[in-house]
Amino acid sequence: MISVFVFCVLISLTYQAQVSEHAFKLSIEEEDCIIETKIDRNTVIADKYSSQTKKDRLLNEYLGCYANKLSDAGKLHFTKNTVLKTKAFKPGWLSSDIVQKTFYKSEIHPDTIFFITHPDKKYPGSGAKTLIDYELGEQNFSNGKWIAYRDSSMKFMIGFKEAKLLHEAHFNAFVDNGAYIFPILSIMIEGSNNGKQFKKLNEAHFPSLEKTDVVRENKSFSCTLPSQEAYKYYRFTLLNLKKLPKWHPGKGTPAWIFVDELFLN
């Protein structure tokens, strides 16, 4: 029987536990998983009220059990962007590769979206609406769900019928340095109420890759908006690496950036 070992606990689970002065009351799902995984009840209680992430196999089997029961009961909710990593084990066998899934929270959907600079002709996706269709492209960057830029920075605009206050923007991107696809270097967000005059709201910068890095994964890039002003239009500029480093086979040429989704909160 293959058991799934969930070791990246960045997940917010909805639960009904109440703490009294004399005892810790756990939900039915929690009690069932304690019995099924044979984990010590005190270990569960200690972890429940701890802010530290533990890499204990039995504890993570319990958390996987708990997540499954909550999901089956319709009680599993994500309160923030979450990365879930799983690994399979079987006695006498080598463990499996890590499988990673990213879950995004998105509370705001724009009324309009359009490109200012157009993506490369090889990777246009389904147009600008690809960024807000809530369909992640996974790790196949040729499946038509990714938008890619190489020779220019990525620029696009979103609009709302009424001014909308934004607090953060998250981009799901793909990085594969073997395929010349590097991380986004920066995200700049500007706001406007007439679509002509824009005010810079914030700019987030991200590190590039080093020679020793071997990366092929989906990555999240975020930019917060400290401004308390609401705008009808928001303009985004995503910068790619203009010259690949000397250690890379494509040295001196521009790096690709691949983006498939924008999440707003």
Side-chain angles (χ1 to χ4, degrees):
M1 184 77 179
I2 297 178
S3 60
V4 178
F5 172 36
V6 183
F7 70 88
C8 182
V9 190
L10 299 174
I11 186 171
S12 298
L13 300 178
T14 302
Y15 55 85
Q16 300 174 342
Q18 295 180 342
V19 185
S20 70
E21 184 177 350
H22 302 290
F24 293 91
K25 294 183 179 179
L26 301 178
S27 68
I28 294 174
E29 292 83 8
E30 289 171 313
E31 295 288 5
D32 286 347
C33 286
I34 288 175
I35 295 173
E36 290 180 24
T37 61
K38 299 180 181 180
I39 191 172
D40 183 76
R41 193 170 189 271
N42 291 327
T43 301
V44 173
I45 293 173
D47 179 73
K48 189 178 182 69
Y49 300 99
S50 171
S51 60
Q52 297 181 346
T53 299
K54 300 179 178 64
K55 294 184 179 179
D56 178 85
R57 177 173 178 172
L58 186 57
L59 176 61
N60 282 287
E61 287 181 357
Y62 160 82
L63 290 170
C65 171
Y66 183 35
N68 288 335
K69 287 188 179 296
L70 288 179
S71 180
D72 292 342
K75 298 179 181 179
L76 180 61
H77 303 283
F78 296 102
T79 60
K80 60 182 180 180
N81 294 340
T82 299
V83 177
L84 182 65
K85 295 182 180 181
T86 62
K87 197 171 186 178
F89 292 87
K90 184 177 181 180
W93 293 68
L94 294 175
S95 61
S96 72
D97 293 333
I98 297 171
V99 176
Q100 176 176 313
K101 292 289 184 181
T102 302
F103 297 87
Y104 290 97
K105 177 185 177 183
S106 185
E107 298 177 316
I108 299 172
H109 191 85
D111 296 311
T112 60
I113 182 169
F114 60 90
F115 291 129
I116 298 174
T117 60
H118 291 276
D120 189 272
K121 293 180 180 180
K122 295 180 181 178
Y123 306 101
S126 299
K129 290 187 177 180
T130 303
L131 295 172
I132 53 173
D133 64 3
Y134 302 119
E135 293 184 14
L136 297 180
E138 302 301 333
Q139 293 190 0
N140 177 8
F141 60 84
S142 299
N143 62 5
K145 294 184 179 181
W146 290 96
I147 291 170
Y149 286 78
R150 180 177 182 268
D151 296 320
S152 65
S153 299
M154 178 178 180
K155 292 185 180 182
F156 68 94
M157 190 184 302
I158 63 172
F160 299 94
K161 295 177 181 178
E162 298 181 356
K164 183 77 69 173
L165 179 64
L166 297 184
H167 293 292
E168 57 185 356
H170 302 275
F171 289 89
N172 185 61
F174 182 63
V175 179
D176 181 356
N177 56 338
Y180 298 25
I181 307 171
F182 270 53
I184 296 167
L185 283 188
S186 67
I187 299 171
M188 182 174 69
I189 305 177
E190 302 166 283
S192 171
N193 279 314
N194 60 14
K196 297 178 180 179
Q197 297 174 317
F198 284 83
K199 175 183 177 181
K200 182 177 177 179
L201 303 179
N202 199 12
E203 185 171 7
H205 296 269
F206 310 96
S208 188
L209 299 177
E210 300 294 335
K211 184 177 181 179
T212 55
D213 293 330
V214 179
V215 181
R216 191 179 191 277
E217 63 181 0
N218 290 54
K219 291 181 70 70
S220 175
F221 296 85
S222 304
C223 184
T224 58
L225 296 172
S227 173
Q228 294 301 310
E229 297 181 56
Y231 295 94
K232 292 182 67 175
Y233 304 96
Y234 290 87
R235 186 166 64 190
F236 296 80
T237 301
L238 280 61
L239 186 67
N240 65 314
L241 182 64
K242 300 305 179 184
K243 289 186 178 182
L244 286 166
K246 294 180 180 180
W247 52 262
H248 194 276
K251 61 182 179 181
T253 61
W256 290 92
I257 56 171
F258 275 71
V259 181
D260 76 333
E261 211 67 37
L262 165 67
F263 300 97
L264 303 170
N265 295 293

